[in-house]
Amino acid sequence: MTLIDKLYKDGPLATRNEITPKLGFLLTILLALAWLIPFLWMGVATLRPASDGINLMAELMPSLKPTLDNIRDAWEIGDFPRYFLNTTIICTGILLVQFVTITLAGFAFARLDFAGKTPIFYLFLMQLMLVPVLLIVPNLSLVVQLGLYDTLAGVMMPFFASAFGTFLMRQAFEAIPTELEDAALIDGASLIQRMRHIYVPLSLPSFSAFAIISVTSHWNDFLWPLMVINSPDKRPLTVGLSVFTKTAEGTQAWGTIAAGTLMVIAPLLITFLIFQKRFISSFVTSGIK
Amino acid sequence: MLFSRRLMLGLAMAGAFAFPALAGEGPTEIDLFFPVPVDGKLARDMGTLIKEFNEGHPDIKATAVYTGSYDDTLIKTRASIKAGKPPAAVIMSANFLLDMQIENELTNLDSLIAADGSTKDQFLGQFFPALQGNAVINRSVYGVPFHNSTPLLYINADKAKEAGLDPNKPPQTWAELTDWAKKLTKREGDKVTQWGIAIPCAYDYCGWMMETLTMTNGGRYYNEEFGGEVYYDTPSMLGALTWWNDLVSKYKVHPPGATPGPAVSTSFISGNAAMMMLSTGSLTYVRENAKFNYKVAFIPRNVRNAVPIGGASLIIPAGVEADKQKAAWTLIKWMTSPEKSAWWSRATGYFAPNMAAYKTPDMVDFLNKNPDAKTAVEQLDVAKPWFATYKTVPVRKNLEDEVMLVLNGKKQPKEALVAAQKAAEETLKPYNAETSLKLP
């Protein structure tokens, strides 16, 4: 019995005797393999000793004499613990403020009535169409005027309000039956209490879906932190990593790059593996696929 | 009570901010923006260099700020100038200086040179003459060459011998190079197991290689005297692109598609490509990693020998305060001194722009052991300035996008160059409207 047959046997009853799901499984496995290869290569390249030379660099077969030299090199070139700390501060800082702003804004657009609500909402959504690069100079000028140049707060600031998050929360809140809120109103709950006890708990899947998107995008952001940060001790991971991946006329030390990349993505990857089920269910319930 | 505590706190904070201003006489703090053009370990070497500078100059405290690729460095420098926080000095890709000068983003260095009791000619006389085109604009000095390059032809000598070619007589013309590439290409059926030659084409590199080929084909690439004209749709450019395309699709001795520099050097080192055209900035990497005998040679010509300059210069952005300007100038002079530029050249493979660097004992010693480091310097006799116009990066990309389409087999050279010329003229339009088309 092949792997496909096994997976297929464990699959849902209704689909067992059809041919399409079988093909679906096969396609999924192929896609998973394609997705896995770069990760495998990264792992293999990280552990490959320099003495293997560049000839074997592209091979997926691991070296017989694995070494931790590359990890040590990457670790020495960059102050990774500090980069980790900075990136974590940036991502959690942004996310915490975003939770507040998108909840309030999402609620306003979903439930409150005010003049020009729809046009304002569309105006808000238009933000999504602007390329971030376009805003670098105005944003940076503002950050300097606020005295936040070369600070982590300056990196976080432009992202405190999120058009995408507001949109997501508006959809989530709109899906909640008004009867629930009415019942709370009868019990004398204040606006804050209604949000705290009804809207927020019922929208948790949307919150976690947004959290994933927000954290991954800011974890991976390179250009904006590069613009704001000067001090080496305030660099986030992406800028620290690019010290040995960006080249113009030169060449690259693949082993060190692989090791550095592995260190940078490891926390996100591990979190994903641990909370896999949750992530997926949150996306399914929030309607994003 | 609460109010007074807040007031106290406010006063304390105001005091803390005011204190450094009152204290005044600390070291002048300056930032140096630097891209990492080569292997990342050099970021550490840069740290060593700046530490040494700070130890020798107690009145200045310089910080090396890593700023990404050459293109990222330009974006960051421009954004910080516009935001009112320019760094005191930047290692800037040498061909961005004209564009920055047009936009009033550079400090004219003439007065700093004069304050040292030196003349412009004396100051520039330290550097190889070929570098002046990218450092002097309208007879004023705007940049100090720091590390520079020319493209080179790298040859796997072992493979050449195997193929019955003499690596000591490298190909000198395009015809000879084509012939070598054919002999060095190995096939198994339709599959190529070893490419004859690889030339990189990725943003930044692609434009530089096109400039190289056009020059060796007798052409000019842009108007060296004026930033509003490029010559993309010309016979010399068409011949160059046609030849490059022929290597790919007609003779099939060059890997198809647009290949970035690191991929080219990796395939050369791994023996997958027997020859490559690449910057001398990769020489140290090749020397340390090649497990075979290699040769470096001049870029072969069709009409004449010529190469563009590459690499970076040190600049002081506009808007830097006088005391920081002075400190930056001290740093710039120190970094471009014979000893320091020689040290940096040995670490990277770039050539040292300061001619006296080649007379330092360490460098003489080094060249005796590594004669391959001489080729780029010898090639300087035929070197020309690097492509620089108004809006250098977009104008360069106008061409690069089209060249990539050709190498990917999606366009013919002629139609690509017509499109590139049209796009570039569109990009250059505002500058020409302000300058060359403006009637008195």
Side-chain angles (χ1 to χ4, degrees):
Chain A
M1 192 188 285
T2 63
L3 177 70
I4 296 170
D5 286 333
K6 194 184 167 317
L7 281 169
Y8 170 65
K9 215 181 129 207
D10 297 338
L13 245 181
T15 59
R16 272 184 211 171
N17 295 318
E18 292 169 33
I19 190 91
T20 346
K22 214 169 192 179
L23 283 174
F25 272 129
L26 189 72
L27 203 67
T28 314
I29 289 172
L30 285 179
L31 278 175
L33 277 180
W35 175 86
L36 200 63
I37 285 172
F39 287 97
L40 272 180
W41 179 84
M42 184 170 57
V44 169
T46 301
L47 298 176
R48 189 182 295 288
S51 59
D52 269 17
I54 207 108
N55 289 343
L56 298 174
M57 206 64 234
E59 296 224 343
L60 272 174
M61 279 303 288
S63 167
L64 292 175
K65 284 174 267 169
T67 167
L68 294 176
D69 283 359
N70 290 320
I71 298 186
R72 200 199 55 220
D73 275 355
W75 192 260
E76 278 175 6
I77 294 171
D79 184 358
F80 277 93
R82 184 166 284 282
Y83 300 162
F84 271 118
L85 183 70
N86 291 338
T87 298
T88 312
I89 293 174
I90 290 170
C91 288
T92 45
I94 291 175
L95 190 63
L96 288 179
V97 181
Q98 276 178 340
F99 273 156
V100 176
T101 55
I102 66 171
T103 311
L104 296 177
F107 183 79
F109 284 124
R111 283 291 183 256
L112 300 185
D113 272 320
F114 51 92
K117 184 165 121 176
T118 317
I120 293 178
F121 181 65
Y122 286 140
L123 209 63
F124 215 78
L125 275 191
M126 262 167 61
Q127 248 194 75
L128 288 175
M129 291 165 198
L130 291 181
V131 197
V133 182
L134 211 66
L135 297 172
I136 279 181
V137 171
N139 277 346
L140 196 70
S141 307
L142 194 64
V143 163
V144 169
Q145 280 165 28
L146 292 170
L148 295 176
Y149 189 62
D150 198 23
T151 63
L152 294 182
V155 179
M156 294 184 235
M157 230 200 48
F159 305 104
F160 283 165
S162 159
F164 173 70
T166 306
F167 170 74
L168 199 64
M169 292 331 289
R170 175 180 174 268
Q171 303 306 101
F173 292 161
E174 274 186 344
I176 293 168
T178 33
E179 285 80 4
L180 283 172
E181 192 180 0
D182 292 342
L185 261 173
I186 293 170
D187 286 342
S190 68
L191 181 65
I192 297 295
Q193 278 171 324
R194 267 147 37 215
M195 287 176 69
R196 156 93 180 74
H197 293 290
I198 296 171
Y199 285 104
V200 173
L202 287 175
S203 313
L204 280 182
S206 295
F207 277 112
S208 46
F210 176 73
I212 295 161
I213 291 170
S214 167
V215 169
T216 29
S217 68
H218 297 297
W219 191 281
N220 292 331
D221 193 11
F222 169 73
L223 200 59
W224 176 247
L226 182 76
M227 294 298 128
V228 181
I229 295 301
N230 278 354
S231 316
D233 61 341
K234 286 178 192 147
R235 275 180 202 155
L237 281 169
T238 42
V239 178
L241 177 69
S242 86
V243 171
F244 42 90
T245 55
K246 289 256 166 180
T247 68
E249 296 172 66
T251 43
Q252 282 169 344
W254 295 108
T256 330
I257 292 171
T261 315
L262 191 69
M263 289 196 282
V264 169
I265 66 160
L268 276 193
L269 200 64
I270 293 167
T271 326
F272 178 74
L273 291 177
I274 296 174
F275 295 105
Q276 211 180 21
K277 266 226 163 87
R278 247 167 182 234
F279 283 162
I280 291 163
S281 65
S282 75
F283 275 106
V284 171
T285 26
S286 70
I288 306 172
K289 277 177 198 168
Chain B
M1 184 63 195
L2 191 76
F3 180 71
S4 71
R5 200 196 294 165
R6 229 152 114 192
L7 190 72
M8 291 283 283
L9 199 69
L11 281 174
M13 272 174 77
F17 282 123
F19 183 69
L22 289 174
E25 296 304 308
T28 312
E29 291 191 15
I30 55 171
D31 284 334
L32 166 73
F33 281 7
F34 78 99
V36 180
V38 269
D39 187 301
K41 284 179 181 162
L42 287 171
R44 222 169 12 180
D45 291 339
M46 181 56 80
T48 315
L49 197 68
I50 294 302
K51 193 162 160 260
E52 196 185 325
F53 173 79
N54 284 336
E55 279 161 5
H57 299 79
D59 51 332
I60 300 172
K61 187 173 171 286
T63 311
V65 178
Y66 165 70
T67 47
S69 65
Y70 279 149
D71 288 5
D72 290 338
T73 301
L74 180 65
I75 299 177
K76 180 163 163 95
T77 307
R78 290 202 143 139
S80 61
I81 292 172
K82 291 210 174 80
K85 288 271 183 186
V90 186
I91 298 178
M92 183 64 73
S93 187
N95 63 332
F96 295 162
L97 269 59
L98 176 67
D99 188 15
M100 294 188 78
Q101 194 269 335
I102 290 173
E103 304 285 355
N104 293 319
E105 293 167 327
L106 288 181
T107 295
N108 184 328
L109 303 176
D110 290 354
S111 55
L112 289 161
I113 294 169
D116 288 339
S118 173
T119 67
K120 260 185 285 182
D121 290 341
Q122 279 169 344
F123 180 77
L124 289 169
Q126 304 171 70
F127 305 104
F128 287 105
L131 304 174
Q132 294 183 7
N134 285 115
V136 182
I137 300 164
N138 298 336
R139 299 202 39 77
S140 279
V141 181
Y142 284 95
V144 185
F146 174 59
H147 65 205
N148 293 92
S149 56
T150 66
L152 292 174
L153 178 67
Y154 290 77
I155 301 166
N156 185 323
D158 293 354
K159 303 246 181 204
K161 270 189 199 140
E162 250 176 62
L165 299 160
D166 183 358
N168 292 320
K169 288 193 192 114
Q172 291 184 357
T173 63
W174 285 7
E176 286 170 33
L177 184 69
T178 313
D179 186 47
W180 275 55
K182 282 181 191 164
K183 284 182 179 150
L184 285 166
T185 304
K186 284 186 189 160
R187 292 172 216 277
E188 279 170 15
D190 275 347
K191 196 174 162 282
V192 176
T193 53
Q194 178 182 307
W195 294 103
I197 182 157
I199 305 171
C201 180
Y203 282 137
D204 205 6
Y205 229 131
C206 203
W208 200 51
M209 292 323 296
M210 264 322 288
E211 183 175 7
T212 308
L213 298 179
T214 305
M215 281 178 167
T216 51
N217 200 21
R220 280 162 85 204
Y221 185 73
Y222 69 107
N223 187 340
E224 298 88 343
E225 314 293 328
F226 169 67
E229 287 170 352
V230 289
Y231 310 134
Y232 290 165
D233 185 17
T234 53
S236 58
M237 184 74 98
L238 179 63
L241 187 53
T242 305
W243 179 63
W244 194 354
N245 187 38
D246 282 352
L247 292 176
V248 176
S249 50
K250 192 167 158 196
Y251 308 121
K252 298 191 167 50
V253 295
H254 180 299
T259 334
V264 168
S265 60
T266 307
S267 67
F268 179 74
I269 294 288
S270 68
N272 185 252
M275 293 187 287
M276 63 169 179
M277 282 189 193
L278 212 65
S279 164
T280 183
S282 304
L283 187 55
T284 301
Y285 175 83
V286 171
R287 186 183 298 133
E288 282 169 3
N289 289 284
K291 297 253 161 62
F292 49 81
N293 295 308
Y294 66 91
K295 283 269 170 214
V296 288
F298 277 27
I299 296 288
R301 65 175 183 274
N302 185 38
V303 174
R304 58 166 179 167
N305 279 108
V307 283
I309 290 295
S313 298
L314 281 153
I315 57 142
I316 300 180
V320 175
E321 300 132 28
D323 57 330
K324 292 196 175 187
Q325 240 183 48
K326 239 178 87 188
W329 185 239
T330 312
L331 174 67
I332 288 173
K333 279 187 292 181
W334 185 84
M335 283 174 76
T336 53
S337 68
E339 290 75 23
K340 295 306 149 200
S341 62
W343 180 81
W344 187 251
S345 163
R346 290 194 296 274
T348 57
Y350 281 88
F351 68 83
N354 195 320
M355 288 186 281
Y358 289 92
K359 300 202 175 71
T360 58
D362 283 348
M363 201 63 167
V364 171
D365 204 34
F366 176 79
L367 284 179
N368 283 335
K369 284 189 196 120
N370 301 286
D372 52 5
K374 280 182 205 153
T375 311
V377 182
E378 285 160 5
Q379 207 172 210
L380 278 178
D381 288 342
V382 296
K384 302 263 184 296
W386 188 1
F387 169 68
T389 62
Y390 168 74
K391 290 209 188 300
T392 307
V393 177
V395 173
R396 192 193 74 208
K397 285 185 176 169
N398 289 147
L399 178 73
E400 287 171 330
D401 287 334
E402 296 293 331
V403 171
M404 286 182 201
L405 287 176
V406 172
L407 296 181
N408 281 314
K410 296 206 175 80
K411 256 193 189 179
Q412 286 305 307
K414 178 65 188 174
E415 53 168 332
L417 291 178
V418 170
Q421 182 71 29
K422 199 166 156 261
E425 276 169 13
E426 199 58 38
T427 315
L428 292 168
K429 218 174 181 173
Y431 183 62
N432 280 316
E434 267 304 301
T435 53
S436 50
L437 296 175
K438 201 175 188 181
L439 301 175

